[in-house]
């Protein structure tokens, strides 16, 4: 009788294992893995807790998926860099191309989460879900948001409805598209927004609910193969403001930057002191992208600035920080500003 019971239990376990999707969780650190001095103190250190402990804190994820945790790096996302992006992207492509993984979740700090999500959306290719998640409060805080966010991310990754939607960000119950998501608050748990639209869906109990069927996302029209790359071209951002001086651009020219994104005012407008230095950059073959420090709305081609005359690229709906990433990747293929403008035109 005991043997029969054992056999039935084992059989049921195997059936439930086979029915659940395999979700890989790649951990990079951030506040979700942060440890504070006390549960009510706002000071803490990001990236201290290992992925195994994070998963132990949310045993419920095992009802949704067969999860495998993998520690990639353990950093605060303010320290994210090109080499970590390349490492992450290559590992994700490897998993997506294998039968081992049905979906990937990346735990990440919230500071640069929108940038990593956008980078991955342009450099990974699969119809399997890739979901980024983080937390605004460290794991030791009262009402830490990490455990529920992680559960929601696994629910989203495990859902068949999340396929063909590109890279997603799941924070505070909402699901966002990588190209449009932006951190809009420095500290609140409800920190993320869609800059030019709405969240694509939300997580309700144990379901990912989408507002519309999967359609071709802007990012899905572009793919940059980084499998053989070990570095990316240097591209920097200049922040526009009243009284900005041209010498801030000069240092990028002197330091061999291949691209400059100007986070202009309004519709990507440029101070008259900066214009001649950006023209000089163009003469030296550096690609100049006009974007805007305003978080919503497009930087349009040829409005107040005659882009065709200056051979500048307009960023369309991409923020300066996302424009920088697209320009880095574009420069791995071409330095033709008209072709690069075509890449940006996808984001309208
Ligand atoms: N500085 C942290 C990070 O981005 C903040 C967070 O995760 O919320 O890693």
């Amino acid at each position: 009788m005991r043997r029969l019971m054992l056999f039935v239990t084992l059989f049921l376990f195997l059936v439930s294992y086979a029915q659940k999707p395999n979700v890989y969780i790649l951990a990079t650190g951030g506040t979700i893995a942060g440890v504070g001095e006390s549960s009510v103190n706002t000071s803490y250190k990001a990236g201290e807790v290992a992925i195994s402990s994070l998963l132990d804190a949310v045993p419920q994820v095992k009802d949704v998926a067969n999860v495998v945790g993998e520690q990639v790096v353990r950093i605060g996302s303010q320290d994210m860099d090109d080499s970590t992006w390349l490492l992450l992207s290559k590992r994700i492509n490897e998993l997506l191309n294998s039968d081992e993984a049905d979906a990937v979740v990346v735990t990440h700090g919230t500071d640069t989460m929108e940038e990593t999500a956008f980078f991955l959306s342009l450099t990974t290719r699969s119809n399997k879900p890739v979901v980024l998640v983080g937390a605004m409060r460290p794991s030791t805080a009262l009402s830490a948001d990490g455990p529920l966010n992680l559960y929601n991310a696994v629910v989203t990754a495990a859902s068949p409805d999340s396929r063909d939607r590109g890279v997603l960000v799941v924070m505070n119950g909402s699901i966002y598209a990588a190209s449009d998501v932006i951190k809009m608050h420095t500290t609140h748990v409800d920190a993320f927004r869609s800059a030019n639209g709405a969240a694509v869906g939300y997580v309700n109990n144990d379901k990912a609910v989408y507002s519309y069927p999967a359609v071709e996302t802007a990012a899905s029209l572009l793919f940059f193969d980084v499998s053989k790359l070990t570095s990316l071209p240097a591209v920097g951002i200049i922040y526009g403001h009243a009284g900005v001086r041209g010498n801030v651009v000069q240092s990028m020219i002197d330091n061999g930057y291949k691209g400059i994104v100007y986070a202009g005012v309004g519709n990507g407008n440029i101070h008259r002191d900066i214009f001649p230095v950006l023209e000089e950059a163009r003469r030296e073959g550096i690609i100049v992208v006009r974007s805007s420090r305003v978080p919503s709305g497009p930087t349009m081609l040829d409005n107040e600035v005659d882009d065709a005359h200056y051979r500048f690229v307009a960023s369309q709906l991409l923020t300066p920080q996302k424009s920088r990433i697209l320009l880095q990747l574009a420069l791995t293929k071409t330095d033709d500003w008209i072709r690069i403008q075509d890449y940006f035109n996808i984001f309208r």
Side-chain angles (χ1 to χ4, degrees):
M1 188 61 181
R2 270 185 60 194
R3 281 180 107 181
L4 181 67
M5 290 276 287
L6 209 67
F7 177 76
V8 170
T9 314
L10 185 67
F11 178 75
L12 289 176
F13 171 77
L14 288 175
V15 167
S16 107
Y17 187 89
Q19 278 172 348
K20 284 185 284 190
N22 299 332
V23 176
Y24 271 68
I25 306 194
L26 305 188
T28 68
T31 295
I32 192 166
V35 173
E37 281 168 20
S38 82
S39 60
V40 288
N41 195 310
T42 52
S43 68
Y44 65 94
K45 198 150 182 266
E48 290 286 284
V49 184
I51 182 61
S52 49
S53 311
L54 287 186
L55 286 172
D56 286 347
V58 200
Q60 297 84 345
V61 295
K62 298 193 179 107
D63 299 333
V64 180
N66 307 313
V67 291
V68 182
E70 213 175 278
Q71 194 79 46
V72 181
V73 285
R74 226 190 257 191
I75 57 172
S77 76
Q78 57 270 43
D79 295 329
M80 189 48 71
D81 55 23
D82 296 350
S83 60
T84 310
W85 277 346
L86 290 171
L87 179 76
L88 204 53
S89 175
K90 288 173 191 175
R91 179 63 184 136
I92 292 174
N93 276 321
E94 195 172 67
L95 287 169
L96 296 176
N97 290 329
S98 77
D99 294 334
E100 282 170 63
D102 297 303
V104 175
V105 169
V106 180
T107 62
H108 198 286
T110 60
D111 291 352
T112 57
M113 184 184 283
E114 69 209 54
E115 294 181 47
T116 300
F118 187 57
F119 179 81
L120 294 176
S121 76
L122 296 175
T123 60
T124 60
R125 208 25 89 241
S126 168
N127 60 358
K128 297 177 185 174
V130 176
V131 177
L132 274 80
V133 66
M136 295 299 292
R137 294 178 180 149
S139 65
T140 46
L142 273 184
S143 296
D145 52 333
L148 182 57
N149 283 350
L150 182 58
Y151 177 75
N152 285 343
V154 174
V155 164
T156 303
S159 166
D161 290 346
S162 300
R163 294 171 80 91
D164 286 309
R165 290 185 187 271
V167 174
L168 301 167
V169 166
V170 171
M171 285 295 290
N172 201 41
S174 293
I175 310 172
Y176 299 97
S179 59
D180 205 29
V181 66
I182 183 166
K183 187 175 184 181
M184 287 292 273
H185 200 282
T186 51
T187 52
H188 285 173
V189 287
D190 191 18
F192 283 78
R193 287 285 176 273
S194 167
N196 290 291
V200 296
Y202 56 90
V203 184
N204 184 29
N205 296 327
D206 56 356
K207 299 242 168 333
V209 183
Y210 288 94
S211 316
Y212 48 81
V215 284
E216 208 158 52
T217 60
S220 73
L221 299 169
L222 272 179
F223 171 62
F224 296 91
D225 181 1
V226 295
S227 59
K228 300 203 171 53
L229 298 183
T230 51
S231 64
L232 295 170
V235 175
I237 301 173
I238 299 287
Y239 199 90
H241 56 86
V244 66
R245 287 286 153 261
N247 53 12
V248 295
V249 181
Q250 191 60 49
S251 75
M252 283 192 185
I253 300 177
D254 297 344
N255 281 294
Y257 277 64
K258 302 284 180 261
I260 296 171
V261 175
Y262 188 69
V265 293
N267 192 351
N269 289 316
I270 303 172
H271 192 283
R272 61 175 175 219
D273 220 66
I274 294 275
F275 253 111
V277 200
L278 291 179
E279 282 184 274
E280 164 66 14
R282 285 303 290 122
R283 276 195 294 277
E284 300 213 7
I286 300 167
I287 298 290
V288 173
V289 173
R290 280 191 312 114
S291 188
S292 177
R293 67 181 197 177
V294 181
S296 301
T299 297
M300 292 163 166
L301 252 179
D302 299 326
N303 267 33
E304 279 186 71
V305 178
D306 185 351
D307 292 297
H309 173 77
Y310 294 105
R311 296 175 300 134
F312 291 162
V313 172
S315 74
Q316 303 295 359
L317 283 174
L318 294 181
T319 56
Q321 56 273 34
K322 287 183 185 168
S323 299
R324 194 190 75 84
I325 292 166
L326 179 54
L327 182 53
Q328 278 189 299
L329 291 168
L331 284 167
T332 65
K333 287 197 173 180
T334 180
D335 53 10
D336 175 353
W337 69 280
I338 295 179
R339 247 184 97 193
I340 294 176
Q341 181 66 66
D342 286 341
Y343 291 142
F344 278 86
N345 287 347
I346 292 172
F347 298 91
R348 285 197 273 214

